[in-house]
């Protein structure tokens, strides 16, 4: 099954976005699932699929995962409202 993964580190913490067609989007913080969205098709580019306040590198941050998926999956990660990593869309 095709899988898209986006990884990034912030200080000593690691964030991972993982998407599969059958499992949806999973957000991991240091290997632990902290968010999930199981929507199959996502056409909304401006509303986050997952939005969580997480303790990252010693401070609370707003983590937002955006997904745009029809035939291909595009994932991006915003932290405190700013693009951090992933696809630009």
């Amino acid at each position: 099954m095709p899988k898209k993964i986006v990884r990034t580190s912030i200080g000593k913490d690691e964030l991972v976005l993982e998407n599969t067609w059958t499992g949806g989007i999973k957000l991991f913080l240091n290997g632990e699932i902290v968010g999930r969205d199981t929507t199959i098709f996502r056409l909304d580019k401006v509303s986050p699929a997952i939005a969580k306040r997480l303790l990252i590198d010693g401070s609370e941050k707003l983590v937002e995962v955006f997904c745009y998926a029809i035939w291909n999956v595009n994932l991006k990660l915003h932290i405190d409202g700013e693009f951090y990593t992933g696809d630009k869309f």
Side-chain angles (χ1 to χ4, degrees):
M1 145 180 35
K3 183 186 290 191
K4 178 151 187 170
I5 297 174
V6 175
R7 294 179 192 276
T8 193
S9 292
I10 302 172
K12 62 184 180 214
D13 293 314
E14 181 185 46
L15 285 167
V16 177
L17 307 176
E18 179 183 287
N19 179 270
T20 62
W21 282 106
T22 57
I25 305 166
K26 295 176 189 167
L27 171 63
F28 296 87
L29 175 61
N30 299 323
E32 180 181 329
I33 294 177
V34 293
R36 172 180 254 158
D37 179 77
T38 57
T39 305
I40 301 232
F41 296 102
R42 187 167 275 287
L43 304 174
D44 184 353
K45 294 181 180 181
V46 296
S47 298
I50 301 169
K52 294 280 200 176
R53 291 206 169 271
L54 301 173
L55 188 61
I56 299 174
D57 197 31
S59 63
E60 185 178 277
K61 304 209 181 281
L62 174 60
V63 176
E64 296 171 300
V65 177
F66 294 84
C67 179
Y68 181 69
I70 300 176
W71 302 112
N72 296 315
V73 175
N74 295 290
L75 293 173
K76 68 179 174 178
L77 179 70
H78 284 199
I79 296 182
D80 290 334
E82 298 292 324
F83 176 83
Y84 195 79
T85 192
D87 301 307
K88 297 244 182 179
F89 58 90

